[in-house]
Amino acid sequence: MSKISEFFGLYCKNPSLDFRQAMTTQICPYTQRICTKMRKSDPEIKIGTCSVKYQNQDVIICPFRLLEHNQIFIDCLHLLTMHEPGNELYLVPEVQIPGGHVDYFLVSAKDKKVKDFIGIELQTMDTTGTVWPERQRFLDEQGIEVSADDLNNKKPFGMNWKMTLKTILVQMHHKSETFEHLNKHLVLIIQKPLFEHMKSDFNFDGIEGVRLGDPVHIHPYNFEEKENSLSLSLHTRVSTDSAGIANCLGLNAESKVELQDLIRILEPKLIEANRLKIGITG
C-alpha cells in the first residue's frame, strides 16, 4: 500500500473519490488555487501530497493543509484583545518584519484602520528523500497509468524532526522579541506529533499551560480520521515569552520594530481579497 494519506485534499482511503479528476485539475481545496508543490524536473506537474503515513501516523507535509475551514484562525480570535463587535477581520499573508516574514497577520480593523493584530506562523514537516515514488504507487493502485521506472523506484522518504523544530524555534525567537516589544501575540500552528518531539528534543521546562499575557502561543492540532476523511482539531495550547523560547535554544537575539512602522505595512494590505472568510474552504 502507498504511504500517501491525502492527494489534492482527498482522503486516499476513501474509494468513492475521484482521484483522476484531482490529478487533472491539480487544485488545492484549501487555497482554491493550483497546488504549489511541483516536481522539480517538470514544474507543470503538481505533486499534490497533503499528508503521508509515517510511523503509523498521518503526518501533514504541506502548510496549506492546515487551512481546513480556517479553523486555526478562528482558534486565535481570543488573542485579538482590542477587537470589538463591528470591526472587520482581515487575513494578511506573508508580512515582512525584522527576523523574517510572518505567514499571516490576523487583523482587526475599523474603516480599514488597524485596531489590533496577531501574527500566525504555520509549520508542517519537511520530508527527506522523495515522496514521488509513493505518489506514483498510489495512482497505480487507483488504476491510473504511471511510469514503470517510478514504480520500481525504491527511494524512501523520512522526517527530520529535530532540524524542522530547530529552524522554526530559531525563527520564533527572532520574531517573538518584536511581538513582545509591541505587546502583541505571535502564534505557532503545528501538528501534535511535531509538538511531542518539540517537548522531548528541546528544553521545555516551565512551558506549560497558557496565559493570555504571554506573547508567544503554540497551538498543536490533532489530525485524525473522522467520517471517512482526515480532520484537524485543536489538541492543546501553551504559551511563553521570548525568554522561554531562548531557553529552549540557548539563543539571544534582538529584532524589534515600532508599532506604527508595522501598522504602515499592514494598512495598505487591508483589501477585500484579504477579508477573513469563514466556512467557504475545504
Side-chain angles (χ1 to χ4, degrees):
M1 290 290 292
S2 167
K3 295 179 182 178
I4 302 300
S5 296
E6 291 175 307
F7 185 65
F8 291 104
L10 302 179
Y11 188 32
C12 294
K13 287 185 178 181
N14 187 342
S16 67
L17 299 176
D18 192 343
F19 299 105
R20 187 184 297 272
Q21 177 69 11
M23 184 183 69
T24 301
T25 61
Q26 303 190 116
I27 295 293
C28 169
Y30 307 105
T31 65
Q32 299 300 316
R33 298 191 297 269
I34 296 291
C35 174
T36 59
K37 292 171 69 71
M38 64 186 68
R39 196 178 188 203
K40 292 180 181 178
S41 61
D42 188 351
E44 294 301 313
I45 297 178
K46 311 306 178 185
I47 298 175
T49 51
C50 312
S51 59
V52 296
K53 181 72 74 175
Y54 187 75
Q55 295 179 345
N56 296 317
Q57 299 180 99
D58 293 299
V59 178
I60 298 173
I61 61 173
C62 176
F64 292 126
R65 179 61 184 86
L66 295 170
L67 301 182
E68 176 187 320
H69 304 309
N70 279 335
Q71 186 65 43
I72 60 171
F73 304 119
I74 297 170
D75 292 338
C76 293
L77 287 174
H78 66 289
L79 296 173
L80 287 171
T81 55
M82 301 300 291
H83 176 74
E84 294 182 351
N87 287 11
E88 307 101 19
L89 292 172
Y90 291 86
L91 199 58
V92 182
E94 297 188 358
V95 177
Q96 191 73 29
I97 69 167
H101 81 272
V102 177
D103 290 331
Y104 293 94
F105 269 71
L106 181 58
V107 181
S108 173
K110 186 69 173 178
D111 299 325
K112 295 192 175 181
K113 297 297 182 182
V114 172
K115 300 301 180 183
D116 201 3
F117 60 82
I118 57 177
I120 301 173
E121 290 279 75
L122 313 184
Q123 182 63 54
T124 52
M125 281 304 304
D126 293 325
T127 57
T128 60
T130 174
V131 300
W132 179 257
E134 292 294 337
R135 174 200 192 268
Q136 298 301 83
R137 273 190 278 277
F138 168 71
L139 294 179
D140 179 65
E141 291 166 4
Q142 303 307 308
I144 300 173
E145 185 176 356
V146 297
S147 166
D149 289 341
D150 289 337
L151 295 178
N152 293 328
N153 187 339
K154 303 303 181 184
K155 291 182 180 178
F157 70 89
M159 305 284 172
N160 194 338
W161 303 98
K162 192 161 188 175
M163 184 55 66
T164 298
L165 286 167
K166 185 173 183 180
T167 300
I168 189 59
L169 285 172
V170 169
Q171 293 175 0
M172 288 293 289
H173 177 252
H174 285 222
K175 297 167 190 175
S176 68
E177 292 194 327
T178 291
F179 282 83
E180 192 168 59
H181 175 62
L182 301 175
N183 196 29
K184 299 297 182 182
H185 297 101
L186 178 64
V187 185
L188 174 62
I189 308 293
I190 56 176
Q191 194 183 340
K192 181 182 174 183
L194 193 56
F195 181 60
E196 297 299 330
H197 278 271
M198 182 183 288
K199 291 191 296 182
S200 64
D201 293 348
F202 294 89
N203 181 12
F204 256 59
D205 292 345
I207 300 180
E208 57 185 359
V210 61
R211 298 179 300 178
L212 187 60
D214 279 336
V216 178
H217 292 252
I218 302 174
H219 290 185
Y221 278 77
N222 298 314
F223 187 55
E224 299 169 328
E225 183 176 3
K226 294 180 181 178
E227 299 178 355
N228 211 19
S229 66
L230 290 171
S231 182
L232 290 164
S233 62
L234 185 63
H235 167 64
T236 189
R237 296 181 294 132
V238 297
S239 67
T240 185
D241 53 18
S242 61
I245 298 296
N247 187 53
C248 294
L249 297 162
L251 296 175
N252 184 24
E254 284 194 8
S255 298
K256 295 181 180 179
V257 63
E258 294 302 325
L259 178 60
Q260 290 304 316
D261 292 336
L262 191 46
I263 286 176
R264 279 193 288 270
I265 294 172
L266 289 173
E267 286 189 342
K269 299 177 184 293
L270 302 185
I271 59 177
E272 187 62 29
N274 288 338
R275 285 289 294 266
L276 177 62
K277 299 175 176 65
I278 307 298
I280 66 168
T281 60

